[in-house]
Amino acid sequence: MSENFFTDNPDLLFRLEQLDLREVVELKERGYTYAEKYPEAPRNYRDAKDNYRLVLEVLGAICATVVAPRAAEADEQGAQYRDGEVFYADATQAALDAFRQAELMGAMLPWEYDGMNLPESIYQLMVDMVSRAEAGLMTIFGLLEIALAIHEHADEEDKAELLPKFSRGEVTGAMVLTEPDAGSDLGAVQARATYDEATDTWYLDGVKRFITNGNADVQLVLARSEAGSTDARGLSLFLLERDETVKIRRIENKMGIHASPTCEIQYNHTPAKLIGRRRFGLIRYGMELMNGARLAVSSQAVGIAEAAYREALKYAGERIQFGRPIRELSPVSRMLLSMRGEIEAARALISLSGTWVDRSKAFAARVSEGDRSYRKKQKQASALADALTPLSKYYATEMTNRVCDQALQVHGGVGYMREFNVERHYRDARITNIYEGTSQLQVVAAIGKLMGHALDGLFAEWAAQDYGDLNAEKEKMIAAGEKLHQAAETLKAKDQPVIDYYAVDLVNMAVYILNSWLLLQDSLVSERKAALARYYIAEHLPKIHMAGEIIASASEIPLAASDLVLGVVK
Ligand SMILES: Cc1cc2nc3c(=O)[nH]c(=O)nc-3n(C[C@H](O)[C@H](O)[C@H](O)COP(=O)(O)OP(=O)(O)OC[C@H]3O[C@@H](n4cnc5c(N)ncnc54)[C@H](O)[C@@H]3O)c2cc1C
């Protein structure tokens, strides 16, 4: 059994080494002047990287020795609901206690609030490991975006009161958006926020469902503040501390992530504070919250896939059929290779997205302090972060479902049995392409950026490099990029229903091309990665061409056939 989920995973070490955060860390650490005030703050970039490695090693040890050994137990017992209250599984509570004792709960919060001031891209590696250990636990550990939103938009008093509690693990958060009639379409939220002038307080009324960790002490709630409004522009975001007016009506009986309580909540005239500006609850703050959470779910997906792959690799080495380990049978080794390639590609993509999110945030902080020299860079970084985040969520969460399916298949019949961990990973993976916006909604978020050729700058930068033995692959990717450009233009010329129908094909093209370039970058520093890049491109180039062909022949035919074929009478 592994002793450490960081040191036993060369790909995590590789990603940490490759992360280029020099400018981000310099800005986040205020030219390393925080070190004068906070003894744990880094003194230079190398010191920062050493700190990050140490944090990852400490967390990796807890994940391997405390969390993973009790993951099946956490799944079996699950979160419990009794007398209106939620109780974590014993193993979940023990894991949270261990994180708390190791002071790991405030990862991304600033030093002044007892946090570790970590960049998003380091936090992603943490979420990856926690999810490999126990995917349900990640939904409690990985809710730090809520604290970040409070840091970004709440007043000084609330920040000073709440944020150190998050860092010390004394409180947890919930992001309360979804309602029975408002899921993907959050603009339809009905929960009501009314302002009482006499007490200068907002009060919330309404029902929310599917709320992860809805038992949390601190909640960010999306509600309709503008009476009579019907769309997203009438919604604002509210901060509340749970009291007796917040009733947890039930928790869901789910397929997977059993340790994560998914709550239905009723607010009965619950006092709350407005966060940020009125009417910007969804269009600005809600989207910010979700974008952060989307990257966390992407890392959760990779962590689950890593766990499933390892189970499959081990089993394939032990199971003998036809006189040899099944790993030696090429259809089985093909599945293993496909899993490994997809996992490492997804990690590279998430790492890239995280880096641009980190840059966007660090530059935005400078701009908001009046340093106009960062404006152009901030605009570029935020445009890339906005394009890459839905692509990462789409790819990583679809990937984890493919990987878990293959991992179960490698196990044959025993994979279908509860005693084998792969069955749990398969169930846990299934939520990732649903919550924080389904895959279809990620496609909706990405398609406009792709039709605006948002990735062309990155592709051009990568195409200018020399890849030595892999220059032939580089030429293929340049040609593939031209095909993507052409496909985007073809799609743009179509009517909206046709664009919506074929959008997923353009997204598939884009992620396969992105991943191929990223693996080519990795090939510059590692022979093993060069072999992986060559393999990945060989496997995915035909898929890129196929998606291009689908778009080239895009037509109204499927839309015209749909109602008749499905027997829908309108
Ligand atoms: C376990 C779990 C935990 C959750 N945690 C939280 C939480 O903490 N906080 C929170 O606020 N919410 C949470 N959710 C809610 C989750 O984000 C929603 O379930 C999800 O966004 C989908 O909404 P829906 O279930 O209403 O599906 P619907 O919106 O009804 O979607 C049904 C289908 O229609 C498709 N569809 C809908 N609109 C479009 C469109 N415009 N284009 C293409 N396809 C479309 C969807 O992709 C999907 O396939 C959680 C859900 C679950 C299951």
Side-chain angles (χ1 to χ4, degrees):
M1 188 173 282
S2 167
E3 292 288 309
N4 192 307
F5 277 8
F6 181 64
T7 54
D8 82 346
N9 189 341
D11 199 38
L12 287 181
L13 287 160
F14 182 85
R15 291 271 63 100
L16 176 66
E17 273 160 24
Q18 294 310 306
L19 270 176
D20 176 12
L21 294 172
R22 195 171 287 275
E23 189 176 13
V24 165
V25 179
E26 168 104 28
L27 289 172
K28 276 181 84 69
E29 296 296 334
R30 305 253 157 197
Y32 300 102
T33 54
Y34 280 144
E36 292 156 20
K37 199 165 169 197
Y38 305 102
E40 306 86 6
R43 291 179 302 279
N44 51 49
Y45 185 54
R46 173 188 277 226
D47 197 22
K49 275 266 182 120
D50 286 347
N51 282 358
Y52 301 158
R53 178 187 289 261
L54 201 65
V55 168
L56 291 166
E57 277 179 18
V58 170
L59 180 67
I62 296 175
C63 285
T65 60
V66 178
V67 184
R70 295 184 68 184
E73 178 199 328
D75 174 63
E76 191 63 34
Q77 186 185 8
Q80 308 279 322
Y81 177 76
R82 286 191 300 275
D83 305 326
E85 265 309 323
V86 172
F87 300 88
Y88 296 137
D90 297 338
T92 308
Q93 194 55 60
L96 289 170
D97 290 344
F99 290 162
R100 199 174 296 136
Q101 274 163 20
E103 299 180 358
L104 290 166
M105 293 301 278
M108 287 191 288
L109 286 172
W111 296 112
E112 64 176 308
Y113 300 114
D114 299 338
M116 286 186 274
N117 207 24
L118 296 182
E120 186 95 33
S121 29
I122 299 297
Y123 182 61
Q124 284 159 9
L125 300 178
M126 297 172 80
V127 170
D128 187 329
M129 286 191 289
V130 172
S131 309
R132 173 181 158 197
E134 209 288 271
L137 176 66
M138 172 276 168
T139 69
I140 305 166
F141 175 81
L143 283 171
L144 208 56
E145 296 302 331
I146 293 156
L148 287 188
I150 293 171
H151 175 249
E152 203 64 27
H153 304 298
D155 60 34
E156 293 304 323
E157 198 185 320
D158 286 329
K159 291 200 294 200
E161 195 214 320
L162 295 175
L163 296 181
K165 291 185 187 169
F166 272 100
S167 295
R168 292 195 293 267
E170 290 167 10
V171 296
T172 57
M175 181 163 84
V176 189
L177 315 178
T178 304
E179 296 177 4
D181 292 322
S184 301
D185 180 14
L186 284 172
V189 155
Q190 290 299 329
R192 211 174 56 243
T194 39
Y195 180 64
D196 178 39
E197 268 182 45
T199 53
D200 185 22
T201 305
W202 287 88
Y203 291 93
L204 305 187
D205 290 274
V207 174
K208 295 283 184 176
R209 80 162 175 180
F210 295 168
I211 304 305
T212 298
N213 207 38
N215 50 306
D217 321 84
V218 180
Q219 310 198 345
L220 287 180
V221 184
L222 187 66
R224 192 160 295 283
S225 54
E226 314 306 314
S229 66
T230 52
D231 63 12
R233 286 164 299 182
L235 300 174
S236 303
L237 192 65
F238 296 89
L239 167 68
L240 63 86
E241 289 183 67
R242 188 157 73 91
D243 63 11
E244 67 292 343
T245 64
V246 180
K247 187 169 177 233
I248 300 171
R249 300 213 294 203
R250 59 193 288 255
I251 65 172
E252 305 293 338
N253 183 7
K254 305 191 296 295
M255 173 180 176
I257 56 164
H258 289 161
S260 169
T262 309
C263 304
E264 184 173 292
I265 310 177
Q266 184 173 352
Y267 296 100
N268 302 298
H269 221 53
T270 303
K273 279 187 176 175
L274 178 71
I275 284 270
R277 289 167 64 189
R278 263 169 92 157
R279 296 171 175 268
F280 284 78
L282 179 60
I283 49 187
R284 176 154 174 214
Y285 313 120
M287 290 316 293
E288 274 176 21
L289 261 174
M290 273 191 287
N291 273 338
R294 281 171 182 176
L295 274 190
V297 173
S298 307
S299 294
Q300 180 188 33
V302 176
I304 299 170
E306 180 77 42
Y309 161 79
R310 283 169 184 257
E311 295 288 341
L313 184 68
K314 183 164 165 281
Y315 186 80
E318 291 165 359
R319 173 72 173 162
I320 309 291
Q321 287 292 278
F322 300 100
R324 52 189 172 147
I326 56 169
R327 194 178 57 198
E328 292 174 15
L329 306 170
S330 86
V332 175
S333 74
R334 177 178 176 158
M335 286 193 271
L336 292 167
L337 192 57
S338 160
M339 289 182 226
R340 195 67 229 159
E342 290 226 86
I343 290 169
E344 295 192 25
R347 246 193 217 109
L349 180 57
I350 294 169
S351 208
L352 176 77
S353 311
T355 306
W356 283 106
V357 169
D358 278 327
R359 288 179 184 149
S360 171
K361 284 185 179 176
F363 300 157
R366 290 311 296 255
V367 173
S368 72
E369 286 161 15
D371 187 344
R372 294 166 67 91
S373 66
Y374 279 90
R375 273 174 82 164
K376 197 169 156 217
K377 284 169 80 165
Q378 199 280 326
K379 238 179 123 188
Q380 184 212 12
S382 100
L384 276 172
D386 288 351
L388 291 168
T389 298
L391 291 175
S392 296
K393 165 80 165 57
Y394 168 77
Y395 180 71
T397 63
E398 292 294 322
M399 173 284 292
T400 198
N401 279 284
R402 283 193 293 272
V403 165
C404 288
D405 185 65
Q406 287 172 315
L408 195 146
Q409 191 69 14
V410 167
H411 282 75
V414 298
Y416 198 62
M417 304 303 156
R418 298 296 296 261
E419 302 93 286
F420 281 75
N421 289 330
V422 73
E423 180 267 351
R424 170 165 48 86
H425 302 317
Y426 181 86
R427 285 186 286 110
D428 287 346
R430 194 59 188 85
I431 187 59
T432 60
N433 55 347
I434 296 175
Y435 62 9
E436 297 308 341
T438 62
S439 282
Q440 288 69 31
L441 267 287
Q442 304 311 311
V443 170
V444 170
I447 190 67
K449 322 274 180 207
L450 293 180
M451 291 197 304
H453 308 297
L455 304 177
D456 281 9
L458 282 182
F459 293 160
E461 191 186 308
W462 294 331
Q465 279 176 275
D466 178 11
Y467 296 90
D469 288 350
L470 273 77
N471 273 335
E473 275 71 16
K474 161 181 144 171
E475 294 307 324
K476 289 177 193 163
M477 293 328 300
I478 292 173
E482 283 160 11
K483 197 150 192 168
L484 176 70
H485 198 97
Q486 212 179 318
E489 289 301 310
T490 304
L491 210 51
K492 256 158 77 176
K494 305 283 180 193
D495 292 339
Q496 194 59 44
V498 179
I499 295 178
D500 294 343
Y501 188 90
Y502 291 99
V504 68
D505 298 300
L506 197 71
V507 167
N508 282 333
M509 273 184 104
V511 284
Y512 294 147
I513 294 172
L514 258 175
N515 291 347
S516 300
W517 277 121
L518 289 170
L519 294 176
L520 276 175
Q521 296 286 305
D522 290 349
S523 77
L524 295 171
V525 282
S526 152
E527 220 175 287
R528 180 184 165 278
K529 289 282 187 183
L532 179 61
R534 193 171 270 135
Y535 151 74
Y536 188 90
I537 292 170
E539 284 277 304
H540 288 83
L541 202 56
K543 295 181 186 172
I544 294 168
H545 288 306
M546 189 174 85
E549 288 304 313
I550 293 172
I551 292 171
S553 56
S555 74
E556 305 263 356
I557 293 173
L559 298 165
S562 180
D563 286 354
L564 188 59
V565 172
L566 300 179
V568 176
V569 183
K570 281 185 180 157

